[in-house]
Amino acid sequence: MNWLIDLFILTLVIVCAIAAISVRDLLSTAILFGAYSFMMCLLWAIMGAVDVAFTEASVGAGVSTVFFVAAVFRTTRRTKD
Amino acid sequence: MRYIGLFIVILCGALLLYATQDFPAWGDPNSPASSHVSPHYIQKSIEETSVPNLVTSVLADYRSFDTMFETTVIFCAGLACLLLLRTFIQERGNWYYRHIPTEVTLHIKDARRIPKDIKDFERIDTLWVPYDLIIKTVCRICIPFIQLFAFYVVAHGDFSPGGGFQGGVIFGASLILLAIAFDLRTAIERLDEFKLGVLSALGVFLYAGIGMLCMILGGSFLDYSQLSKIFPVDPVHIRALGMLGVEIGVGISVMAVMAIIYINIASEGRQDEGL
Amino acid sequence: MHEFFMEIVDKYNYWLYIILMMIGLYAMIVKNNLIKKLVGMNIFQTAIILFYISIGYKEDATLPIIVNAHGVHSPEELAINTAEYINPLPHVLMLTAIVVSVATLGVALALSVKVYQQYKTLEEDEIRMRIRESSL
Amino acid sequence: MSAYPALVITIPLLATFVGTGCYWLNRKLCYPVALLGLAGSLYTSVCLLIKVMAKGSIGHYHAGWTPPWGIEYRVDLLNSFVLVIIGSVALINLVASYLNIEQEMSEKSGIFYPLYLLFVTGLSGVVITGDLFNLYVLLEVTSLSAYALIAMGSKDRAPLASLNYVFIGVIGASFFLLGTGYLYIMTGSLNMVNVGALLPELYSSQAILVGFVFCIIGVWIKMAFFPLHVWLPNAYTYAPIAASRVIAPLMTKAMVYVMIRLMLTVFRPEYIYAVLDLQNVIVWLSCLAIVAGAVMALAQKNVMKMLTYIIVSEIGYMVGGAWLGNQAGMTGSVLHILNDALMTFCLFLAVGNIGVLGKGFRLDSLQGIFQKMPVTMACFVLGGLSIIGVPPTCGFFSKWYLLNGAIQAGHYAFLVALLLSSLVNVILFFRIFEIGFFEPMSHGHTYAHQSGGAIQEAPISMLVPLILVSFGLLVVGLYSGLIVQQIIVPFLT
């Protein structure tokens, strides 16, 4: 059962990573990156690295995403690839 | 470029995969990584530092020097954002004011402004959207609890997951939430650039200062047990207290820097309006 | 061949990080948009963090927080078995690495905002075109 | 006192925080605080060097934990030697660049100084630390401040150049981290000496090999070894002059030091030279780097960019010398860290003084420069001669050791590359001398010709450091036998 959850999250991590770099809108990229970070945080929590997961939840999924959104707000959403 | 990139990436992947065969089995408790240095931390942490959260004790005591530079990295990023983006030149742009009783918006050109002490007018962003009551109210209720949680995370880092860094980020996130839910000026009024700048330096200074104090007292850098010479606590327990002091420093610094980075990116360094 | 395959299946966490690292590196090298490159950079860094966390993992072990430590004054009261707790050292290192990555991200975003102010675009080829135009 | 190793780092670090506080409280104090911090750091590192020469290596255990559990600073001859170079270059540059900084940054200069200090702190830390992960963290401190400092340069190009540096620098640092992870998973330790002691049993392991490859590639990226140098020329050219003058001489040299440290302390020579059979490949690569750097320097029309390509070529000397696999080569390589830092520093100082004229750095804008700035150009000539390798200057001696090493190793391609690049350097510098000294003013600038006779020398605060450094070139050249005997040979044996 445990490995099923594991596998599910692993797939989601990879899907989010690929989606984040291939979607053609920078705001979506930022949000997908947030999702990626959150999935990563779950993965680490499963592996027992609670402190790291905690940090990643607050930094990766929280503050980094906000930074990205702020930067996209100040620049542009347009992207060619 | 695409093919060169693909080639490099596949080369790296192949190299790493090649090395993976040699690794100890996954989750093996007898692998070198788990049997050489780390058992000491697990066995002795309580005895030597009286902190049950091993990550905190390694982070803030055994490898505290790393952590000082980790905080310095963050501080450096804050300074860098300030240096790169901050502009002091006010553009002769268009400013918008709202007359609160009548809800009429005034458009004022050439950077003239309505005096601050007239309460009937409030400045609004160029890309202003009408206030959303729900978001504002919910945020107003949430923010104190978020900040309280941040303090808890810092203070309870010795016993449960958490510590200065996470607490600082959460506190900084509460400031960012304030800026997003209301507007940037509201957040800056609460903690202006002067306070943030001084706090960011003060936090790391606290860390390095504790380290220096230990050195002055005759130990090596960051050797908290020396602090027991001036505080009436035994040398083992003082380590836990030293860690707490250090974590508070980290928290202050990280909080300030997160706010500095956000404010400067969101306002392109003008610090008047933004996301 | 079969043995090699089994080897890989046994260590699936190790090759997951390789895949993520390849994705991140690919984005950093090939993508044209600066923000995309930054996302790739962060994926690359998290992949390395995942690798370190995998080093620290132990089968059948619990979180690196000593249980029942509240109120214990003499360490002899606690019998600590090393195999029961996950290796804390990689976690500590990775906390630092996460912090470094967010600091780098902040600086890089500030730089890309500055680049945008200058060239009004985030696409690398367009920027290169502008530079060529202005130097002519 | 055993606290000196910690003081080298903590004095400038504390000065950084105090300086930042001063920016908000009283801006006039920023510069004196920065100066004091660097002077303190230099003083302690000189003390360290003297002490280490007398008594052998000194260790400092941070937080009082013995290695491998805590972080150790291990100071031996090589460290303290490089530390002194870093401290003195940083201090002299801060004095020389005061006017530049105040002029270019105006009200932001108060933030510039703390970042400058952080850069120097990080660099000294990289050099002094004995812990692999600590090295990574300090590397990031250095790089982050370098990104910010570089991006403050020319308004249109510097941010992009810096951003490119960020991308490549992060790949380099992450590769180093990954390599460290491979070493950690196989040995379980992060302390350099401890890892070095544990490695011999694992020499045949593939993971160690891959870890080694990633560490070295990461360091190479950071030091701009030839195929990985793409970030360097733009970043250094468009940086503000005050920053490029400290980053260009120090950053790459500190990375060469890290490479030598990895080779000698962590992986040990028996692994590097006996187990791995990479020497030939890497010496060939460095020959390529030397020649390519020289050729690309020849193609440049901007003095600053030309100097950056010369740095790329000089990196080739040091990497090649270290990998020749004999003592003469290694001696030449270590001595060249000092000499190259001094030579590039001298040249960059001189070019910075030329920048005072405000005419830019294009080669054709240098006409008549010898008449306008006789002192600056005299020092520039000295620096140029040193890069070429003319005997009384220091550049000659390290090249001599490198040539000796190449002959001993029987690696004649390296010999040819060295001589070829010296030849190219002759062409490069004599081209500049020719333009600056002999070429008559073009006819369209008759007015400039008349005023060309007038001396427009740089301010005295910029001239004195330059003269000091160019004297240093001669002094180091004359005493290089002493340096080799007292510092380098005892370290290597």
Side-chain angles (χ1 to χ4, degrees):
Chain A
M1 193 56 214
N2 215 344
W3 67 270
L4 248 174
I5 301 173
D6 219 18
L7 200 68
F8 180 63
I9 292 174
L10 289 179
T11 335
L12 267 184
V13 165
I14 291 178
V15 168
C16 282
I18 292 174
I21 62 165
S22 54
V23 72
R24 281 172 191 251
D25 172 14
L26 288 183
L27 195 61
S28 318
T29 300
I31 303 302
L32 278 167
F33 173 72
Y36 164 82
S37 298
F38 188 70
M39 291 301 153
M40 209 60 167
C41 144
L42 289 182
L43 196 59
W44 294 339
I46 291 173
M47 288 194 199
V50 271
D51 277 83
V52 185
F54 194 170
T55 315
E56 179 69 8
S58 57
V59 173
V63 176
S64 290
T65 313
V66 175
F67 287 171
F68 268 120
V69 173
V72 170
F73 170 73
R74 273 297 163 196
T75 55
T76 173
R77 282 175 72 166
R78 185 180 70 91
T79 170
K80 285 199 296 193
D81 56 7
Chain B
M1 196 64 204
R2 164 160 302 206
Y3 295 106
I4 301 171
L6 214 56
F7 174 72
I8 295 173
V9 167
I10 289 173
L11 193 73
C12 279
L15 207 59
L16 293 173
L17 213 58
Y18 165 72
T20 307
Q21 308 166 36
D22 223 25
F23 281 0
W26 200 65
D28 176 16
N30 296 319
S31 65
S34 312
S35 61
H36 179 51
V37 171
S38 66
H40 178 91
Y41 299 136
I42 297 172
Q43 301 277 358
K44 305 277 179 157
S45 172
I46 289 273
E47 190 180 323
E48 288 176 346
T49 66
S50 72
V51 169
N53 185 354
L54 299 173
V55 175
T56 305
S57 76
V58 179
L59 186 80
D61 196 346
Y62 292 97
R63 295 188 71 88
S64 49
F65 197 69
D66 262 356
T67 314
M68 185 174 82
F69 277 101
E70 161 197 327
T71 324
T72 310
V73 168
I74 275 285
F75 170 72
C76 183
L79 275 188
C81 276
L82 213 55
L83 181 70
L84 290 176
L85 287 175
R86 187 81 177 101
T87 48
F88 298 98
I89 308 153
Q90 281 294 341
E91 277 174 33
R92 301 173 64 78
N94 303 325
W95 291 23
Y96 293 85
Y97 283 89
R98 194 167 72 123
H99 188 234
I100 296 166
T102 59
E103 305 224 324
V104 175
T105 305
L106 296 181
H107 177 187
I108 299 179
K109 286 183 177 171
D110 287 347
R112 276 177 294 223
R113 45 177 100 189
I114 290 177
K116 267 195 177 164
D117 44 338
I118 299 178
K119 291 277 184 252
D120 280 353
F121 288 96
E122 68 169 343
R123 202 181 144 201
I124 55 177
D125 288 358
T126 322
L127 299 167
W128 187 69
V129 279
Y131 290 124
D132 191 326
L133 187 67
I134 295 175
I135 292 179
K136 280 177 92 169
T137 318
V138 170
C139 286
R140 191 173 286 163
I141 295 170
C142 272
I143 286 170
F145 289 104
I146 296 177
Q147 293 178 343
L148 204 63
F149 180 62
F151 285 129
Y152 164 78
V153 170
V154 175
H156 213 252
D158 288 1
F159 307 103
S160 61
F165 186 72
Q166 292 93 328
V169 171
I170 292 170
F171 201 100
S174 78
L175 292 178
I176 293 174
L177 184 61
L178 189 72
I180 291 177
F182 293 77
D183 56 9
L184 202 60
R185 283 183 303 280
T186 322
I188 293 176
E189 268 167 33
R190 300 287 194 286
L191 266 178
D192 62 8
E193 200 185 9
F194 169 78
K195 285 180 202 147
L196 286 176
V198 172
L199 281 179
S200 69
L202 187 75
V204 213
F205 187 78
L206 193 64
Y207 201 135
I210 290 178
M212 269 314 236
L213 189 63
C214 301
M215 207 147 84
I216 292 167
L217 290 172
S220 49
F221 192 69
L222 284 166
D223 186 356
Y224 308 125
S225 61
Q226 302 295 329
L227 292 174
S228 63
K229 288 178 186 165
I230 49 173
F231 293 106
V233 189
D234 66 286
V236 171
H237 197 65
I238 192 81
R239 284 193 170 266
L241 293 180
M243 280 182 228
L244 187 64
V246 159
E247 298 263 14
I248 290 170
V250 175
I252 293 172
S253 213
V254 168
M255 178 272 290
V257 169
M258 288 300 152
I260 288 177
I261 295 179
Y262 173 77
I263 288 171
N264 279 304
I265 289 178
S267 69
E268 287 185 306
R270 288 194 300 277
Q271 306 209 346
D272 56 351
E273 57 183 51
L275 190 64
Chain C
M1 190 62 213
H2 182 70
E3 277 172 13
F4 185 68
F5 187 72
M6 284 313 291
E7 187 96 317
I8 289 176
V9 172
D10 270 353
K11 296 172 180 171
Y12 70 97
N13 257 56
Y14 290 136
W15 58 259
L16 175 82
Y17 102 85
I18 296 177
I19 292 175
L20 282 176
M21 215 189 85
M22 284 163 73
I23 294 172
L25 201 58
Y26 178 79
M28 276 180 90
I29 296 173
V30 174
K31 287 287 167 181
N32 197 23
N33 187 291
L34 296 175
I35 301 276
K36 282 276 176 69
K37 282 188 172 210
L38 284 179
V39 172
M41 182 179 98
N42 264 39
I43 291 174
F44 183 57
Q45 285 171 327
T46 33
I48 292 174
I49 297 172
L50 179 63
F51 166 63
Y52 268 82
I53 302 292
S54 319
I55 298 176
Y57 185 74
K58 281 182 204 165
E59 209 73 56
D60 303 323
T62 179
L63 309 179
I65 299 173
I66 307 286
V67 283
N68 304 326
H70 255 299
V72 175
H73 292 296
S74 65
E76 290 79 35
E77 292 171 36
L78 281 171
I80 299 169
N81 181 5
T82 311
E84 277 174 17
Y85 296 99
I86 294 173
N87 182 358
L89 186 56
H91 300 181
V92 173
L93 304 181
M94 285 313 104
L95 272 177
T96 310
I98 290 179
V99 176
V100 168
S101 78
V102 70
T104 318
L105 179 71
V107 175
L109 283 176
L111 280 171
S112 44
V113 168
K114 245 179 122 72
V115 169
Y116 185 79
Q117 285 173 350
Q118 187 66 37
Y119 300 105
K120 298 288 167 228
T121 175
L122 287 174
E123 306 289 323
E124 230 184 0
D125 53 349
E126 290 173 16
I127 294 173
R128 228 175 279 133
M129 219 163 65
R130 300 268 157 89
I131 290 176
R132 218 175 293 131
E133 279 167 12
S134 68
S135 66
L136 281 177
Chain D
M1 212 169 110
S2 66
Y4 276 125
L7 283 176
V8 174
I9 308 301
T10 45
I11 290 176
L13 195 64
L14 284 175
T16 309
F17 307 137
V18 174
T20 317
C22 287
Y23 175 71
W24 306 104
L25 302 170
N26 182 358
R27 284 186 197 184
K28 288 212 179 83
L29 287 175
C30 291
Y31 181 67
V33 167
L35 217 52
L36 266 181
L38 286 183
S41 170
L42 178 61
Y43 172 74
T44 38
S45 47
V46 170
C47 287
L48 260 180
L49 180 62
I50 294 169
K51 206 174 276 289
V52 170
M53 278 168 73
K55 288 183 190 156
S57 56
I58 304 174
H60 183 89
Y61 305 146
H62 287 288
W65 300 113
T66 48
W69 297 285
I71 292 173
E72 179 199 23
Y73 272 12
R74 178 118 232 117
V75 188
D76 53 23
L77 281 165
L78 188 59
N79 288 358
S80 42
F81 175 63
V82 181
L83 272 180
V84 173
I85 302 173
I86 290 174
S88 38
V89 168
L91 183 64
I92 294 174
N93 181 42
L94 193 64
V95 175
S97 308
Y98 176 66
L99 292 174
N100 294 74
I101 297 171
E102 290 295 326
Q103 203 180 355
E104 282 177 41
M105 310 283 158
S106 57
E107 65 256 84
K108 283 201 231 166
S109 63
I111 314 176
F112 187 90
Y113 296 126
L115 275 170
Y116 184 95
L117 276 174
L118 274 182
F119 175 78
V120 179
T121 313
L123 215 52
S124 319
V126 165
V127 170
I128 201 175
T129 187
D131 189 278
L132 285 169
F133 191 77
N134 198 236
L135 179 64
Y136 165 76
V137 178
L138 286 158
L139 202 57
E140 286 293 316
V141 173
T142 318
S143 322
L144 267 186
S145 38
Y147 303 148
L149 293 178
I150 286 172
M152 286 314 289
S154 83
K155 210 164 170 253
D156 47 342
R157 299 291 297 275
L160 189 68
S162 174
L163 197 58
N164 277 331
Y165 184 16
V166 172
F167 290 131
I168 298 178
V170 165
I171 293 183
S174 302
F175 273 6
F176 182 80
L177 183 62
L178 197 61
T180 307
Y182 275 64
L183 292 185
Y184 176 67
I185 199 173
M186 296 311 289
T187 62
S189 178
L190 287 166
N191 185 283
M192 286 184 191
V193 178
N194 195 235
V195 170
L198 289 169
L199 273 184
E201 297 164 16
L202 299 163
Y203 276 165
S204 57
S205 148
Q206 298 132 345
I208 295 294
L209 173 69
V210 173
F212 171 75
V213 168
F214 273 97
C215 277
I216 284 287
I217 289 182
V219 174
W220 278 353
I221 289 177
K222 285 273 181 187
M223 76 162 84
F225 190 51
F226 166 62
L228 311 165
H229 72 285
V230 279
W231 57 270
L232 184 135
N234 277 343
Y236 288 1
T237 309
Y238 300 117
I241 191 76
S244 66
R245 284 202 291 218
V246 71
I247 297 173
L250 294 184
M251 185 75 182
T252 47
K253 260 62 23 157
M255 286 298 119
V256 172
Y257 161 80
V258 171
M259 186 189 77
I260 292 175
R261 171 66 60 190
L262 284 178
M263 286 165 65
L264 294 184
T265 308
V266 180
F267 291 96
R268 305 272 175 93
E270 52 266 34
Y271 183 66
I272 300 290
Y273 299 125
V275 181
L276 294 181
D277 201 20
L278 291 173
Q279 281 174 68
N280 264 322
V281 182
I282 290 173
V283 176
W284 271 106
L285 269 179
S286 57
C287 294
L288 202 65
I290 294 171
V291 175
V295 170
M296 284 186 291
L298 209 53
Q300 300 306 318
K301 292 202 169 63
N302 181 322
V303 182
M304 206 65 159
K305 218 165 207 174
M306 188 194 93
L307 291 182
T308 57
Y309 279 108
I310 290 179
I311 295 178
V312 173
S313 159
E314 301 276 322
I315 293 292
Y317 290 13
M318 288 178 267
V319 175
W323 281 89
L324 278 176
N326 53 35
Q327 199 181 347
M330 193 56 108
T331 310
S333 189
V334 174
L335 188 63
H336 207 67
I337 292 179
L338 166 68
N339 292 347
D340 193 38
L342 276 182
M343 296 184 307
T344 22
F345 186 43
C346 178
L347 288 173
F348 271 83
L349 275 177
V351 170
N353 286 4
I354 294 173
V356 171
L357 291 180
K359 281 200 196 157
F361 300 116
R362 292 184 64 82
L363 276 177
D364 41 13
S365 72
L366 295 180
Q367 290 176 354
I369 194 83
F370 273 84
Q371 287 159 7
K372 281 184 195 157
M373 305 185 125
V375 183
T376 303
M377 288 315 283
C379 299
F380 185 83
V381 169
L382 206 60
L385 290 181
S386 186
I387 290 258
I388 294 166
V390 179
T393 52
C394 59
F396 168 75
F397 296 96
S398 44
K399 257 185 204 177
W400 178 253
Y401 282 106
L402 289 174
L403 287 177
N404 251 335
I407 292 169
Q408 276 177 33
H411 218 294
Y412 294 100
F414 189 62
L415 190 95
V416 172
L418 272 176
L419 295 176
L420 193 69
S421 85
S422 298
L423 212 65
V424 174
N425 286 343
V426 172
I427 299 172
L428 283 174
F429 282 99
F430 276 81
R431 191 172 59 174
I432 294 177
F433 301 158
E434 193 202 341
I435 294 172
F437 201 70
F438 299 111
E439 200 157 298
M441 295 289 168
S442 51
H443 294 293
H445 294 82
T446 43
Y447 176 72
H449 183 59
Q450 279 157 6
S451 72
I455 290 177
Q456 298 178 336
E457 202 39 273
I460 194 85
S461 69
M462 296 163 83
L463 268 186
V464 172
L466 177 59
I467 296 170
L468 206 70
V469 172
S470 43
F471 261 107
L473 287 178
L474 288 176
V475 172
V476 168
L478 292 177
Y479 287 96
S480 54
L482 198 70
I483 295 173
V484 169
Q485 271 166 22
Q486 293 288 323
I487 297 172
I488 300 173
V489 171
F491 172 74
L492 291 176
T493 46

